[in-house]
Amino acid sequence: MYRDNAHRMRKLFEQVLDSYDLQQAALDDALKELSTASTEMTSTDGRVTATVNAAGVTTAIELADNAFRGATPDELSRSILEAVHSAVHTAKQRTDQIIAPLTSAELTPDLDDVLPDAAEIRELRESIVDRFDRALRLPEPDDRPNTK
């Protein structure tokens, strides 16, 4: 009986370690991809193109040659906000796609599967993902700052 339990525990621990190695490799790949990811979006009027990184931080804003022709400062301001907002939204979707495989609860046995009173890593992972989502949540169009 003791040997059976020890053998099962050893097998489960080996599965956890193997899964950890796979997750670490996947995390390294995701971090590489996120570190070089950028998203570029152009306003619907074509006056402004905004580029953001994977975290949604604006890294460049380009104005078309005709950006100032026939546009009021208010219109140009709205075009900038539109381009940036679209780029951030698209970058967030792409970031979610990149990290989705890392947040799957089925990837590994949880710590409490091995040690019954241990904390659940799944809950911690979900909490981190939830915080990340809330930090990057974009305001709804009606909540955006007024440029007037």
Side-chain angles (χ1 to χ4, degrees):
M1 173 91 164
Y2 172 76
R3 284 184 186 213
D4 290 340
N5 287 339
H7 180 71
R8 279 199 307 269
M9 184 70 89
R10 180 177 291 135
K11 283 294 230 184
L12 188 54
F13 191 68
E14 287 172 3
Q15 288 176 338
V16 169
L17 289 177
D18 289 345
S19 179
Y20 173 80
D21 289 340
L22 290 173
Q23 286 184 25
Q24 188 62 46
L27 178 61
D28 291 343
D29 291 344
L31 289 175
K32 277 184 209 170
E33 188 171 353
L34 289 172
S35 71
T36 61
S38 69
T39 300
E40 184 178 286
M41 296 298 288
T42 301
S43 61
T44 53
D45 62 13
R47 289 185 172 123
V48 180
T49 299
T51 304
V52 299
N53 64 17
V57 175
T58 303
T59 57
I61 293 181
E62 296 177 35
L63 302 176
D65 291 338
N66 67 347
F68 295 102
R69 287 188 212 120
T72 65
D74 188 51
E75 290 170 334
L76 186 55
S77 177
R78 281 196 302 269
S79 295
I80 291 169
L81 287 174
E82 176 194 349
V84 169
H85 188 268
S86 294
V88 169
H89 180 73
T90 303
K92 168 77 170 78
Q93 289 176 325
R94 179 65 186 129
T95 298
D96 288 348
Q97 290 174 341
I98 293 169
I99 68 168
L102 303 175
T103 60
S104 171
E106 297 87 39
L107 286 177
T108 184
D110 208 339
L111 204 50
D112 71 335
D113 293 336
V114 179
L115 303 168
D117 294 328
E120 289 190 31
I121 295 173
R122 288 182 196 106
E123 287 180 12
L124 176 61
R125 180 183 294 135
E126 289 168 8
S127 171
I128 290 169
V129 170
D130 184 53
R131 283 189 220 162
F132 182 75
D133 283 346
R134 278 186 276 136
L136 292 180
R137 188 166 292 134
L138 299 173
E140 293 299 318
D142 295 306
D143 296 336
R144 287 185 280 173
N146 189 347
T147 59
K148 291 184 180 185

